[in-house]
């Protein structure tokens, strides 16, 4: 493989956040202009859902403090590590030693890169879920691993994510050394059941498999949905890393803050890798961690409620369109939408709605090559704009249905 081929595999053209909104006027079925602002569903809108109150003020104090905050140790500043460890321990139920089990990273994406780079060698078999976070597959390939996809039958599952535990067991028995997955799942938004989590933990321990669990959206789980933190269970594997950060739910993505906590030896390797990759989580930005889990009273409850209302409004639109479906989100702000057969390819359709409807979505192929009739939306948007955008999208889609679908 050449260096060009290696980086071509990373393919960022359709990655979330890469698209720039095109200033085209949306048109209705008669070719008449449609009202409504552009909506980028590839990521959340921090203008519609503002960052945690007080986050900028804390950041500003960190800047004014100067060198003590700018040049922290590679793992992070001691007082902030202690604050984060206490908060995460209370949230997850896991015992976290701030000096041994925790590292602050440049976003949860940085945490994922460090965790992957610290736990695999070229040729290692690495299991991922399909569908799951778009970067998982790309990182396995970049680090030279052998990809082992594990299906998740999310459409037929009730009260669980639907991961194929038999396929996972077979993968572990056949030499998989590392398994990573997101919970809640990105892009579907389903939450793993207690039984699924305990089964994954037990099998990983039995077969000495390292687990990386991405829990980025675990604070945004909807009422009535039980959530199980794998890191807090009695039976866990010897090597376990959990990734969390104040990003999507708190609308703090712009600060690029992430954390990873778990096995001491793994955290030590991650620190060494961070030292040559980025040195540290951005020093001034680390101060914003002080607001995490300490938002104003009612902030998180209102944030979850607002997103549930947007989710339900969009699902109502989806249910009215023949041939379109999406599993209701249980955690996070994503919907993985299935559409009918079209006369154009998925990628052509996505370009069309960008140009004709001013709507950007992420193609399903970012989450697995088989998802040719799906796209993902992040519905953390202005509610009215999001609903109007989905209606424009489906109006355009109807023009391109295959004849037998019409």
């Amino acid at each position: 493989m050449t260096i060009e081929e290696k980086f071509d595999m990373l393919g960022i053209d359709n990655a979330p956040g890469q698209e720039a909104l095109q200033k085209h006027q949306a048109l209705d079925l008669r070719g008449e202009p449609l009202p409504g602002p552009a909506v980028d569903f590839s990521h959340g809108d921090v203008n519609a859902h503002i960052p945690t109150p007080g986050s900028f003020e804390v950041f500003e104090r960190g800047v004014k403090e100067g060198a003590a905050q700018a040049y922290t140790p590679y793992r992070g500043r001691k007082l902030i590590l202690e604050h984060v460890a206490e908060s995460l321990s209370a949230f997850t139920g896991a015992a976290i030693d701030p000096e041994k089990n925790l590292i602050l990273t440049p976003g949860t994406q940085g945490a994922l890169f460090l965790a992957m780079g610290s736990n695999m060698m070229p040729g290692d078999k690495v299991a991922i879920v399909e569908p799951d976070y778009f970067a998982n597959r790309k990182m396995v390939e970049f680090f030279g691993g052998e990809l082992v996809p594990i299906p998740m039958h999310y459409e037929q599952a009730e009260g669980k994510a639907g991961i194929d535990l038999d396929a996972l067991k077979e993968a572990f028995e056949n030499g998989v050394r590392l398994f990573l997955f997101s919970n809640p799942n990105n892009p579907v938004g389903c939450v793993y059941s207690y039984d699924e989590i305990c089964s994954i933990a037990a099998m990983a321990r039995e077969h000495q498999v390292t687990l990386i669990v991405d829990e980025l959206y675990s604070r945004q789980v909807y009422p009535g949905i039980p959530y199980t933190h794998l890191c807090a269970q009695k039976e866990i594997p010897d090597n376990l890393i959990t990734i969390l950060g104040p990003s999507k739910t708190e609308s703090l993505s712009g600060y690029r803050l992430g954390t990873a906590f778990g096995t001491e030896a793994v955290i030590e390797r991650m620190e060494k890798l961070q030292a040559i990759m980025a040195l540290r989580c951005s020093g001034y930005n680390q101060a914003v961690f002080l607001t995490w889990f300490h938002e104003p009273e009612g902030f998180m409850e209102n944030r979850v409620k607002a997103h549930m209302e947007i989710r339900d409004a969009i699902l109502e639109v989806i249910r009215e369109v023949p041939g379109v479906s999406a599993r209701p989100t249980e955690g996070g702000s994503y919907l993985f939408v299935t559409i009918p057969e079209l006369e154009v390819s998925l990628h052509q359709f996505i370009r069309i709605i960008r140009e004709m409807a001013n709507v950007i979505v992420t193609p399903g192929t970012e989450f697995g090559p088989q998802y040719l009739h799906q796209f993902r939306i992040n519905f953390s948007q202005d509610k009215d704009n999001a609903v109007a955008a989905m209606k424009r999208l489906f109006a355009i889609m109807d023009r391109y249905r295959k004849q037998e679908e019409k």
Side-chain angles (χ1 to χ4, degrees):
M1 179 186 298
T2 66
I3 191 70
E4 288 81 8
E5 290 170 336
K6 179 183 178 73
F7 279 85
D8 283 345
M9 286 171 28
L10 295 180
I12 64 172
D13 291 345
N14 292 299
Q18 273 299 107
E19 296 282 8
L21 283 168
Q22 304 295 308
K23 302 302 180 184
H24 294 280
Q25 174 64 57
L27 305 175
D28 67 13
L29 291 171
R30 299 166 297 177
E32 298 295 325
L34 277 170
V39 174
D40 185 349
F41 283 117
S42 73
H43 52 75
D45 184 354
V46 296
N47 296 323
H49 303 280
I50 62 172
T52 305
S55 55
F56 177 75
E57 289 76 11
V58 173
F59 166 78
E60 186 177 34
R61 288 201 300 271
V63 173
K64 290 179 178 178
E65 190 172 354
Q69 188 61 54
Y71 296 104
T72 74
Y74 295 142
R75 293 194 190 194
R77 191 175 183 183
K78 185 176 185 294
L79 69 89
I80 296 175
L81 284 167
E82 291 173 345
H83 171 89
V84 171
E86 181 180 1
S87 298
L88 287 174
S89 294
F91 176 62
T92 65
I96 303 171
D97 185 326
E99 295 184 2
K100 298 178 179 179
N101 307 123
L102 176 64
I103 185 171
L104 310 182
T105 63
T108 52
Q109 186 83 359
L112 180 59
F113 185 89
L114 295 172
M116 293 289 288
S118 301
N119 284 290
M120 62 176 292
M121 294 288 287
D124 282 356
K125 291 184 177 181
V126 181
I128 66 166
V129 173
E130 288 186 340
D132 207 339
Y133 183 50
F134 76 96
N136 292 356
R137 169 189 309 275
K138 295 178 181 182
M139 288 192 188
V140 173
E141 293 172 339
F142 181 79
F143 286 117
E146 180 182 338
L147 197 68
V148 182
I150 307 299
M152 186 177 72
H153 309 293
Y154 66 92
E155 292 176 307
Q156 295 81 35
E158 292 187 14
K160 59 182 181 180
I163 185 173
D164 191 329
L165 291 171
D166 290 334
L168 186 64
K169 179 181 178 182
E170 182 180 354
F172 287 179
E173 291 172 344
N174 289 333
V176 161
R177 299 266 50 87
L178 174 64
F179 175 48
L180 69 152
F181 67 101
S182 61
N183 183 31
N185 173 271
N186 173 1
V188 176
C190 53
V191 172
Y192 285 72
S193 68
Y194 173 79
D195 289 341
E196 286 176 316
I197 289 296
C198 289
S199 295
I200 292 169
M203 286 192 292
R205 183 173 180 82
E206 178 185 356
H207 295 282
Q208 297 183 322
V209 174
T210 297
L211 291 185
I212 300 174
V213 187
D214 182 348
E215 293 193 355
L216 177 58
Y217 276 101
S218 56
R219 295 190 78 195
Q220 192 176 320
V221 175
Y222 295 105
I225 305 297
Y227 187 90
T228 304
H229 294 283
L230 192 151
C231 59
Q233 303 313 302
K234 290 183 179 179
E235 187 172 14
I236 61 174
D238 292 333
N239 287 328
L240 170 64
I241 290 296
T242 303
I243 293 172
L244 259 167
S247 178
K248 307 297 188 183
T249 302
E250 303 83 356
S251 298
L252 293 170
S253 295
Y255 287 104
R256 307 310 306 143
L257 298 172
T259 72
F261 61 92
T263 307
E264 181 179 357
V266 177
I267 294 296
E268 185 175 340
R269 293 200 297 269
M270 292 175 67
E271 178 187 22
K272 292 175 181 177
L273 184 54
Q274 176 148 286
I276 64 170
M277 183 192 79
L279 294 176
R280 60 184 57 81
C281 172
S282 180
Y284 293 142
N285 293 357
Q286 287 182 34
V288 180
F289 275 116
L290 297 173
T291 68
W292 196 25
F293 292 97
H294 294 269
E295 298 86 4
E297 184 177 355
F299 174 84
M300 284 303 304
E301 291 81 1
N302 291 334
R303 179 60 56 96
V304 171
K305 180 181 178 182
H307 281 79
M308 187 165 60
E309 291 175 355
I310 302 165
R311 176 202 66 178
D312 292 347
I314 292 177
L315 284 172
E316 186 175 341
V317 173
I318 287 173
R319 293 187 186 106
E320 294 175 353
V321 184
V324 177
S325 63
R327 175 172 170 169
T329 311
E330 296 168 342
S333 56
Y334 296 115
L335 283 168
F336 201 46
V337 183
T338 299
I339 59 176
E341 289 273 353
L342 303 179
E343 294 175 344
V344 295
S345 71
L346 176 66
H347 285 236
Q348 288 174 320
F349 172 66
I350 285 173
R351 286 197 296 271
I352 289 167
I353 60 173
R354 182 187 65 211
E355 295 173 1
M356 298 183 67
N358 268 349
V359 176
I360 292 174
V361 300
T362 303
T365 50
E366 285 291 301
F367 310 96
Q370 68 271 45
Y371 298 109
L372 296 169
H373 304 289
Q374 287 82 15
F375 61 80
R376 189 198 73 173
I377 64 168
N378 185 323
F379 58 80
S380 185
Q381 314 286 333
D382 174 86
K383 178 183 175 182
D384 293 339
N385 290 347
V387 169
M390 292 302 289
K391 289 180 178 179
R392 296 200 303 271
L393 183 156
F394 291 132
I396 301 286
M397 184 195 75
D398 277 338
R399 306 182 193 182
Y400 293 94
R401 285 180 183 265
K402 281 197 171 180
Q403 288 302 314
E404 57 267 28
E405 295 284 347
K406 294 182 178 180

